[in-house]
Amino acid sequence: MAIDRRILTLDEFTIQQFRGFPQATGELSSLLRDIGLAAKRINVEVNKAGLVDILGDYGTTNVQGEEVKKLDIFANNQMMGVLRHGISCAGIGSEEMEDVVIFDDETSNKSKYVCLFDPLDGSANIDVNVSIGTIFSIYKRVSELGKPATKEDFLQPGNKQVAAGYVVYGSSTILVYATKVGVNGFTLDPSIGEFSLSHPDIKCPPTGKFYSVNHGFFFQYPKQVQDYIHACQGKVLDTPESYTQRYIGSMVADVHRNLIKGGIFMYPGTAKKPNGKLRLLYECNPFAFIAEKAGAIATNGKQRVLDIQPTSLHERTPFYVGSKLMMEELETYLKQA
Ligand code: AHG
Ligand code: MN
Ligand code: MN
């Protein structure tokens, strides 16, 4: 079968995109290629999850006390492996590892970037064939090139991200990444094993129909959030303004849908967990960066997520992200005393 040469692969696209920057050394496109390779390997395992002994629990809990699935560990090892052996990454931070890993070898110490990731997001959905994903965030190091990366490289506010992205292993597999010039999506073409540009220049519609929140915690949410949820429910049915509720429980899939179709995703703090569940560095910051580059908004209810100064690798934050007009309406509720 002839391959349609009008469709750019991920590698072709990134090389072309970064050629526009005179200072580009090719390290960032190489880093994105490495992540694309890990995503393809994870995708293969996700697709045969029911056939091999990869479903179920690994038998431990991670640093956040959550049950670890075998695929969490597989995905973590794939991401760590490609980044360690690539030429662009000096160290990593992962949901599945207590502390950052500084690669500290001759090549890595010369690398410009560090990468933070959630290797498998939505892992509670693995065993039941529901979409899951990978989320990543890339920073330029602040430490001296030629020396090992330091903790400070990882604890930068989200507004310093150079690139961020995610992969959804869903009905098809899509990799979306954002840089300062915009957001683009690449669907994995299984016939050639390449991510191919399918969603050029993604812009989030200014409003939409979807609101995504875990209703199970409704009575634990702050009163302002409860009021907003009531307002979502109160939109008059069968009018263009009516909303519908969608919550998959895999943030990658929920936010991806809302980014493409228009919508709002919320993971508020609760009475028991005032900072909510989602992790700032490798869940919220990458999505906040992607959202803003696509014309959407992301806050923690009080401030722009990207302006939060992180203090630790696994810190959590309440998270609200979505279409501009929907977020502005939410903000009018959150401002109320
Ligand atoms: P992870 O699988 O990486 O721990 O993340 C799961 C997250 C996120 O994807 C999802 O939106 C949220 O947890 C769902 O949590 P609740 O079941 O508390 O709503
Ligand atoms: Mn996650
Ligand atoms: Mn995870």
Side-chain angles (χ1 to χ4, degrees):
M1 193 185 75
I3 296 167
D4 185 347
R5 295 310 305 162
R6 289 168 305 175
I7 296 179
L8 291 176
T9 65
L10 175 65
D11 292 356
E12 289 169 336
F13 181 86
T14 51
I15 289 165
Q16 285 195 13
Q17 190 182 40
F18 300 142
R19 195 179 271 167
F21 302 108
Q23 71 283 20
T25 57
E27 268 189 67
L28 186 55
S29 47
S30 154
L31 185 54
L32 289 163
R33 183 172 55 232
D34 294 340
I35 292 172
L37 175 61
K40 285 192 250 182
R41 290 180 177 158
I42 297 166
N43 182 61
V44 169
E45 287 312 295
V46 167
N47 276 302
K48 61 182 185 192
L51 296 172
V52 291
D53 183 28
I54 198 142
L55 290 182
D57 300 337
Y58 187 69
T60 57
T61 52
N62 66 15
V63 23
Q64 1 236 344
E66 295 157 344
E67 230 171 47
V68 176
K69 301 278 179 188
K70 291 178 195 165
L71 263 180
D72 285 320
I73 300 299
F74 177 85
N76 189 57
N77 290 343
Q78 291 307 323
M79 287 291 285
M80 185 159 57
V82 293
L83 293 170
R84 187 190 287 278
H85 295 120
I87 56 152
S88 315
C89 187
I92 55 163
S94 163
E95 179 190 355
E96 300 302 340
M97 291 184 296
E98 188 159 354
D99 209 347
V100 299
V101 176
I102 309 290
F103 293 149
D104 195 9
D105 57 62
E106 209 190 335
T107 308
S108 303
N109 289 347
K110 286 188 206 141
S111 304
K112 270 201 281 196
Y113 300 103
V114 293
C115 184
L116 291 140
F117 52 83
D118 176 355
L120 254 214
D121 177 65
S123 34
N125 281 327
I126 293 170
D127 293 355
V128 288
N129 283 44
V130 175
S131 296
I132 49 181
T134 298
I135 310 169
F136 60 91
S137 165
I138 299 168
Y139 290 88
K140 200 175 266 181
R141 292 169 57 181
V142 289
S143 56
E144 195 181 325
L145 280 186
K147 299 211 166 127
T150 64
K151 198 83 182 260
E152 285 64 48
D153 296 325
F154 298 88
L155 296 180
Q156 301 186 57
N159 57 36
K160 298 277 192 224
Q161 286 171 104
V162 173
Y166 61 87
V167 185
V168 184
Y169 311 101
S171 49
S172 62
T173 297
I174 184 168
L175 184 154
V176 174
Y177 81 86
T179 60
K180 65 180 178 188
V181 293
V183 188
N184 291 279
F186 303 81
T187 300
L188 183 63
D189 179 347
S191 64
I192 56 169
E194 290 281 3
F195 283 106
S196 302
L197 183 65
S198 53
H199 295 63
D201 196 21
I202 294 173
K203 294 281 179 236
C204 181
T207 190
K209 294 186 88 59
F210 299 116
Y211 77 99
S212 310
V213 69
N214 187 337
H215 273 272
F217 299 129
F218 181 86
F219 294 107
Q220 292 190 46
Y221 292 148
K223 165 88 171 49
Q224 297 91 326
V225 175
Q226 294 182 357
D227 288 347
Y228 175 72
I229 294 172
H230 278 145
C232 292
Q233 294 168 321
K235 306 266 175 191
V236 182
L237 272 181
D238 298 326
T239 64
E241 292 77 35
S242 68
Y243 288 175
T244 190
Q245 198 270 1
R246 291 284 184 279
Y247 190 76
I248 295 170
S250 296
M251 176 169 69
V252 273
D254 277 312
V255 180
H256 175 66
R257 179 200 51 245
N258 294 357
L259 189 69
I260 302 291
K261 299 271 192 194
I264 187 167
F265 173 92
M266 299 174 273
Y267 205 111
T270 61
K272 279 191 206 143
K273 296 180 179 170
N275 288 328
K277 175 182 185 187
L278 299 175
R279 277 61 55 117
L280 174 63
L281 289 185
Y282 42 80
E283 292 184 314
C284 303
N285 267 339
F287 271 115
F289 182 82
I290 296 161
E292 287 199 7
K293 295 300 167 203
I297 292 176
T299 77
N300 66 356
K302 295 198 174 88
Q303 69 173 126
R304 191 177 170 227
V305 166
L306 295 180
D307 288 339
I308 300 172
Q309 174 60 54
T311 54
S312 68
L313 179 60
H314 298 292
E315 76 186 70
R316 296 171 198 263
T317 177
F319 190 48
Y320 305 88
V321 60
S323 292
K324 186 165 180 288
L325 298 176
M326 297 171 89
M327 284 293 293
E328 284 170 1
E329 188 183 1
L330 167 71
E331 274 157 28
T332 64
Y333 283 85
L334 295 182
K335 275 192 200 127
Q336 284 164 23

